[in-house]
Amino acid sequence: MSLSRSILRKLPVAGLIVATLGLAGCSQEKAEVKDIIRPVKVVEIAQAHDTRTLSYSGSVRARTESALAFRVNGKITERLVDIGQHVASGDVLARIDPIDYDLSVKSAQAAVDAAERQVETVELARKRAEQLFAKNFAPKSQLEQATLSYDQAVATRDSARSSLDQAKNQAGYTDLKADRDGIVTAVSADVGQVVGSGTPVVTVAVDGEKEVLIAVPEMEIAEFKPGKIVKAGFWSDDALTLEGKVREVAGSADPQSRTFAVRVSLPNDPRVLLGMTASIEASAANERQLVSIPLSALAKQDSQSIVWTVDRGADTVHARPVKVAKFAADGVRVAEGLQPGDVVVAAGTQFMTENLKVKLAGDTVLQSASAAGDDSDTRQVR
C-alpha cells in the first residue's frame, strides 16, 4: 500500500520532466531552422565602359574625281578608253568630228593673210605720204590720213590673228584629253552621240589619296569632327586594318536619307583599291550609364524599387533602393543605386529579409553597365 502511494506521487514529476524535455527539443529544432543558410543566385555588376564603338560601312573612292567634258559641241567619232583603264596626263580619251573646226581654221587663216596684205598696201601709202610731205608736195592732212589707214589695217590684222588662234584652239578641243593621271571610273557618252560643251563624257579618279565615304545619322554626327582618328577595315581582307582620319563633314544633311556625308582619308596602301567596301569604326563617349539587371532581381518595399545586395564579407543580404530607367526585353535598366562590384540577388527576392544569411549558389553572372539604350554584356565567371 505505501509502495503504490509512493509511485503515484512520483508520476507528476516524471510528466513534468518529459514535457520539459519535449519543449527543449522544440526550441532546439526552431534554433536549427533559424540557422539555415539560404542559397541564392546572384549577378555581379561589372565595370562600366567609358566609350562605345560606332561602325558605318562605305566604299573606297578617290579623293578627287574629274568629270571630263568637251569644250566644244560636236558628234563623238571615237572613244579611246574603257572603264577601269589607267590613263596618263595628256592621253586622248575621246574625239568629236573636227571637220567644221578645221574649216574655221582655214577661214581664219585666209582672213589673216588678207589683213597682212592690206597692212603692206597701206604701209606703202603711208611711206609715200611721208616722202611727199617732207618735200612739201603734199599737205599734212594727207600724211595723217595715210597714217590712220595704216593703224586701222594693223588692228584688223591683229584681230584676224586672234581669231585664227581661237579657231585653232577650238579645233584642238575636239580631242578630249586627261589632265591628270588616274583611272577611268565612268563613261557617260559614246560614239555617235552629239554632245554639247560641258556635257560629262568620261570620269577619271585621280591617282593619289583615297578616302571612304560614309553616311552618319544626325544623332551621331557630333562624334565626327575633322581630324578625328578612326579605324578602317575592309571586307575583302579581315587582316587589313588602317588608321584613317576624318577629312570632311558635310554641313547639311541629305534631304532624302537625312544623313550627313563624312569623308575619311586613308593612308596610301597598294592593297586598297577603288570601289572596295570598307567599315569605319570610331569611338564615342558614353554620356549616360545604365546597369542592366534581370527582372527577377527587382523588388518593391514600401512602394520603393529595391534590389537585394549581398555582403560577401558577412554573407548577408541588404535592401538597396534603386532608380529604374526603363524596362527592356532582357531585363531592367537601372540608372542609380548600383555600382561596379555590387552583388545582386537575381532570383527569390520574395524570401529575402534584412541581414538574412545566404550562400552563393553556382556561378556568378557578370552583368556590365551599358550606355542608354544598349544591350548589356553578360558572361559567366567563377
Side-chain angles (χ1 to χ4, degrees), residues 18 94-95 115 121 125 137 164 187-188 191 226 249 296 302 318 368 375:
V18 171
R95 288 191 175 97
T121 300
F137 291 153
L164 175 60
V187 174
S188 306
V191 175
V249 179
S296 57
D302 298 331
H318 306 279
S368 66
D375 294 332

Side-chain angles (χ1 to χ4, degrees), residues 60 212 232-242 266 272 276-279:
V60 179
V212 177
F234 302 89
W235 291 10
S236 61
D237 187 355
D238 293 338
L240 177 58
T241 302
L242 300 177
L266 299 176
V272 179
M276 291 177 61
T277 302
S279 177

Side-chain angles (χ1 to χ4, degrees), residues 89-145:
S89 178
D91 287 351
V92 178
L93 309 179
R95 288 191 175 97
I96 61 175
D97 189 352
I99 294 178
D100 292 340
Y101 298 99
D102 290 340
L103 293 175
S104 297
V105 171
K106 292 180 180 180
S107 177
Q109 183 65 58
V112 170
D113 294 340
E116 288 178 347
R117 301 294 82 79
Q118 181 65 24
V119 169
E120 293 174 359
T121 300
V122 296
E123 185 178 12
L124 292 174
R126 181 177 64 85
K127 288 181 179 181
R128 183 172 179 79
E130 288 176 350
Q131 293 173 356
L132 293 175
F133 177 75
K135 296 178 180 180
N136 294 322
F137 291 153
K140 187 177 180 180
S141 60
Q142 185 176 348
L143 174 60
E144 291 175 346
Q145 181 68 32

Side-chain angles (χ1 to χ4, degrees), residues 93-249:
L93 309 179
R95 288 191 175 97
I96 61 175
D97 189 352
I99 294 178
D100 292 340
Y101 298 99
D102 290 340
L103 293 175
S104 297
V105 171
K106 292 180 180 180
S107 177
Q109 183 65 58
V112 170
D113 294 340
E116 288 178 347
R117 301 294 82 79
Q118 181 65 24
V119 169
E120 293 174 359
T121 300
V122 296
E123 185 178 12
L124 292 174
R126 181 177 64 85
K127 288 181 179 181
R128 183 172 179 79
E130 288 176 350
Q131 293 173 356
L132 293 175
F133 177 75
K135 296 178 180 180
N136 294 322
F137 291 153
K140 187 177 180 180
S141 60
Q142 185 176 348
L143 174 60
E144 291 175 346
Q145 181 68 32
T147 302
L148 180 60
S149 298
Y150 174 78
D151 292 340
Q152 289 177 342
V154 170
T156 302
R157 181 195 63 186
D158 292 342
S159 176
R161 287 177 176 176
S162 298
S163 298
L164 175 60
D165 292 338
Q166 185 177 10
K168 289 180 178 179
N169 288 339
Q170 296 289 312
Y173 294 153
T174 58
D175 288 346
L176 179 61
K177 298 180 180 180
D179 54 355
R180 284 179 283 183
D181 298 350
I183 297 176
V184 177
T185 58
V187 174
S188 306
D190 215 331
V191 175
Q193 184 174 344
V194 177
V195 295
S197 60
T199 303
V201 176
V202 177
T203 302
V204 175
V206 179
D207 288 347
E209 185 177 352
K210 298 182 180 68
E211 64 182 18
V212 177
L213 176 64
I214 59 176
V216 179
E218 56 185 291
M219 68 281 298
E220 301 292 356
I221 194 60
E223 302 296 338
F224 290 86
K225 301 293 184 184
K228 181 182 179 69
I229 302 300
V230 298
K231 184 174 69 174
F234 302 89
W235 291 10
S236 61
D237 187 355
D238 293 338
L240 177 58
T241 302
L242 300 177
E243 185 180 90
K245 181 185 293 185
V246 176
R247 181 180 68 84
E248 179 182 286
V249 179

